[in-house]
Amino acid sequence: MQFTDYQTLLFDRRQRVLTITLNRPEKLNAVDALMHEELARVFVDASNDPDSDVVVLTGAGRAFSSGGDIDWMQSMIDHPALFEKTSREGKQIVFSLLDCEKPVIAKLNGHATGLGATIALFCDVIFAAENAKIGDPHVSVGFVAGDGGAVIWPQLIGYARAKEFLMTGDLMSAAQAASIGLINHAVPLEDLNERVDQFADRLASGATNAIRWSKISVNIGLKQLAHSIMDASLAYEAMSNVSADHQEAVNAFREKRQPVFGQEMKRA
């Protein structure tokens, strides 16, 4: 299968391992409208690819993904109807990852935040460079963590820890993430490629159907949770998209200052 109609993603093959690379390095692989649209279909295409048995997902440059692109956020503030498409694609990203029978390995070459963290955490096994940081700072930009964070974080680290990180937006080191079970392995950056290749090759040389169907069996519960949570969480995110706090956060990011939240509550 040829992946020729993608503009923000790169593809590489090594025997039966397919690597997908988020490719906006100049923006720290921030997800814009086009990348979001492509992410909503790439895991279906990868699942249908006859020439691979294992998928590796990584980022170009020094980050895995810094989350949502700030200009894309402003466009959805200016045109709230665009968020309907974003919500639909958000569900497609999560469910296509869960439905992909092939093991998907996240290789965090650098920071994974916001939507970047969500995508990484819905992968099956996560390796991260020790210098990488991971977190879901949706609240830092006045946004609800509706794109899947509310589903996956509590399943990995429990509700109390998940709520602490989702309500503060704090980032953590890869070592801390591994120690609490958010990711599988934190390794030196210089060893990351080798460690991921070794693990991918081990899976690729294993009993393909047994591995695939074990993954799908485990994901049944996650899919049930995602179905029960994501419509509501994305609806809350859509509400926060048109909030004064979200616009203030976008303005503050562009003006390189700290946001001042709570103005709409003070006016009320």
Side-chain angles (χ1 to χ4, degrees):
M1 181 174 181
Q2 299 298 314
F3 296 88
T4 57
D5 58 340
Y6 287 86
Q7 299 179 48
T8 68
L9 306 176
L10 297 177
F11 301 87
D12 183 61
R13 295 186 187 278
R14 187 179 56 80
Q15 298 173 347
R16 299 289 297 176
V17 178
L18 173 69
T19 296
I20 303 171
T21 302
L22 310 178
N23 189 40
R24 297 186 76 219
E26 73 286 354
K27 297 289 187 179
L28 299 179
N29 300 317
V31 178
D32 63 359
L34 178 57
M35 182 180 279
H36 200 255
E37 180 181 307
E38 292 185 345
L39 285 168
R41 59 188 172 91
V42 70
F43 300 111
V44 175
D45 287 346
S47 183
N48 293 329
D49 175 37
D51 299 317
S52 62
D53 294 314
V54 178
V55 178
V56 174
L57 181 65
T58 192
R62 57 192 179 92
F64 178 79
S65 174
S66 59
D69 180 88
I70 204 73
D71 292 331
W72 182 41
M73 291 183 192
Q74 185 63 59
S75 71
M76 288 185 287
I77 293 172
D78 295 338
H79 307 283
L82 294 175
F83 205 87
E84 180 180 348
K85 179 174 182 286
T86 298
S87 295
R88 182 172 63 252
E89 290 172 352
K91 289 195 292 183
Q92 289 169 345
I93 291 169
V94 167
F95 285 109
S96 63
L97 267 169
L98 293 175
D99 283 332
C100 179
E101 289 192 351
K102 299 173 184 177
V104 182
I105 304 167
K107 181 168 70 174
L108 306 189
N109 52 300
H111 293 2
T113 59
L115 177 58
T118 297
I119 293 171
L121 297 181
F122 271 103
C123 293
D124 302 306
V125 179
I126 306 136
F127 289 78
E130 288 177 339
N131 63 310
K133 291 189 176 180
I134 304 164
D136 194 334
H138 271 73
V139 295
S140 301
V141 290
F143 237 174
V144 170
D147 59 18
V151 178
I152 194 64
W153 280 70
Q155 303 312 306
L156 296 174
I157 60 174
Y159 281 90
R161 279 177 169 159
K163 285 185 284 187
E164 177 183 351
F165 283 104
L166 293 177
M167 291 191 299
T168 62
D170 287 347
L171 307 185
M172 72 183 83
S173 68
Q176 182 183 0
S179 72
I180 64 174
L182 187 69
I183 67 172
N184 298 81
H185 305 284
V187 302
L189 177 61
E190 61 270 22
D191 298 335
L192 182 64
N193 289 338
E194 181 180 1
R195 287 287 301 276
V196 171
D197 286 350
Q198 287 175 347
F199 187 75
D201 290 345
R202 179 179 178 183
L203 294 182
S205 64
T208 300
N209 284 338
I211 291 171
R212 291 184 178 188
W213 298 338
S214 292
K215 166 187 170 167
I216 292 301
S217 297
V218 172
N219 278 356
I220 290 171
L222 275 177
K223 287 171 62 178
Q224 291 172 335
L225 280 169
H227 278 297
S228 68
I229 293 171
M230 285 199 68
D231 283 332
S233 64
L234 284 166
Y236 280 120
E237 189 170 19
M239 291 170 61
S240 64
N241 178 62
V242 294
S243 68
D245 276 343
H246 182 45
Q247 181 65 79
E248 163 63 11
V250 171
N251 292 343
F253 182 89
R254 287 174 160 169
E255 296 164 10
K256 295 181 172 56
R257 61 173 175 83
Q258 290 296 312
V260 180
F261 290 133
Q263 297 304 309
E264 53 196 345
M265 298 299 293
K266 293 172 183 176
R267 287 198 298 270

